[in-house]
Amino acid sequence: MSIIEIAQKTRASARKLAVLSAVAKNQAIEAIAKALEAAAADIVAANAADCKAAEADGIAKPLYDRLKLDESKLKSAIAGVRDVAKLPDPVGSVQIHRELDTGLILKRVTCPLGVLGIIFEARPEALIQIVSLAIKSGNGVILKGGKEAVRSCEILTKIIHQALAETAVNPAAVQLLTTREETIELLKMDEYVDLIIPRGSNSFVRFVQENTRIPVLGHADGICHLYADKAADLQKAVEIAVDAKTQYPAACNAIETLLVHSAIAHNFLPAVAQALQQKKVELRGDEPTRAILENIAEATEIDWSTEYSDLILSIKIVDSVEEAINHINTYGSRHTDAIVTEDSQAAETFLSQVDAAGVYHNCSTRFADGFRYGFGAEVGISTQQMPPRGPVGLEGLITYKYRVVGDGHIAASYVGKDAREFTHREL
């Protein structure tokens, strides 16, 4: 099929999916979970072949880490599928129920967006998450994985199609593209695709944003910060810094810059440096930092605005929470930023003035994740000002329509000398 035929078929299937009951959608999601469990060995084997080929092509380590889908990652993804099934149905929720006048009733009711276009590099588990969220929210989905994950994506899509064939959801609601040329064509399908969600490097996301008229939900950079305040518990700050940098350095919610208050720098920096270097983190620092940690590289202006996605961390000493906030708002990507402090006022100042989708106090930035937020899964993370913002689950995949039911009501009755008055009574 041509890309237009694929889009048309997906849209037609999505219209039928949109009106299915919550029970029917949940049955389809559970069927997917069972099918993935049954085919786990084949999925892992296909992914191992992708990883081997990617290594031969010299894939960068951060991208390789995202590509790898081992048994543990797959098990977690399947758990996320089942968590999505447990969530309330987001479709058909009445947000406003209002009498405009006697017999003239307004309802605002949630409904699916229509068709989602998901373009992602590596991350084959993203395909699993997105399909489950799309079905739950009543949306069709056209998926395009990176060439490095083609075997993984093909087997996952095949398994999902086989599972859906035994349910009320038409398998045609889930489509997979495999070539770069199809990606370019997909970005032109504004007549059939309602939302594009890119997941990948900042250059990749920017390319998508700059080459489509379809609304784009996503983020280009994940430049996250941790600020150790003068009132920080130093042991707590060390443990949080190590987790936020090293627990999964390729993740977009891993920190790239550590800000340290000058009042604790001489005590804190040697301790945190030792802990980070034991995890093989390369440290780079500004001049005051290097006066304390003499054997680290110099951090340049470029470092403050770089997403390493690797075991590299830049460090800067600041003199106040206000200076830390100013640095974050200047160089950050509005993703996730955290403060470690026992001073509740400093924490409140940080949380209210840092401009980011996620602002944390005394915990790791690695919690910025749809699954960890209880969303079941996420389609991506958005750093835009307009909602949805942060990890995007079901609520980012629905819109609403206004339903007005009357009994011969006409607007002319509400103007002029003997105009009727609206009651505007909440029901």
Side-chain angles (χ1 to χ4, degrees), residues 234-393:
L234 298 192
Q235 184 58 37
K236 191 181 293 182
V238 168
E239 292 175 0
I240 291 173
V242 170
D243 182 86
K245 179 71 253 185
T246 70
Q247 197 269 334
Y248 186 24
C252 59
N253 57 18
I255 60 169
E256 309 295 7
T257 298
L258 173 64
L259 303 172
V260 180
H261 196 287
S262 55
I264 64 168
H266 281 85
N267 290 326
F268 175 65
L269 282 176
V272 75
Q274 181 182 15
L276 288 165
Q277 288 170 335
Q278 285 178 349
K279 296 281 190 176
K280 303 189 184 307
V281 178
E282 176 191 332
L283 302 179
R284 302 176 184 179
D286 65 350
E287 189 174 336
T289 298
R290 294 176 72 223
I292 299 170
L293 305 176
E294 298 179 356
N295 296 319
I296 69 170
E298 178 184 2
T300 67
E301 183 72 13
I302 294 174
D303 285 298
W304 308 132
S305 53
T306 297
E307 181 181 10
Y308 303 114
S309 298
D310 204 351
L311 291 173
I312 304 171
L313 182 68
S314 57
I315 305 175
K316 181 181 177 67
I317 293 177
V318 296
D319 291 325
S320 65
V321 64
E322 289 77 16
E323 187 180 347
I325 292 168
N326 183 60
H327 179 95
I328 293 169
N329 288 342
T330 300
Y331 296 100
S333 60
R334 299 179 177 179
H335 191 298
T336 307
D337 302 290
I339 181 174
V340 181
T341 187
E342 301 306 305
D343 181 342
S344 59
Q345 185 57 52
E348 182 56 35
T349 298
F350 184 94
L351 298 178
S352 61
Q353 294 186 21
V354 167
D355 182 11
V359 285
Y360 291 9
H361 176 206
N362 284 352
C363 58
S364 170
T365 56
R366 287 285 291 122
F367 288 105
D369 175 82
F371 178 75
R372 289 169 177 160
Y373 280 10
F375 297 168
E378 67 182 39
V379 292
I381 290 181
S382 174
T383 56
Q384 62 189 15
Q385 292 296 101
M386 294 294 290
R389 202 178 190 202
V392 179

Side-chain angles (χ1 to χ4, degrees), residues 17 56 108 173 187 193 213 222 230 265 283 316 327 329 375:
L17 172 57
R108 190 169 81 187
L187 296 179
V193 179
R213 291 181 297 185
K230 65 180 179 181
L283 302 179
K316 181 181 177 67
H327 179 95
N329 288 342
F375 297 168

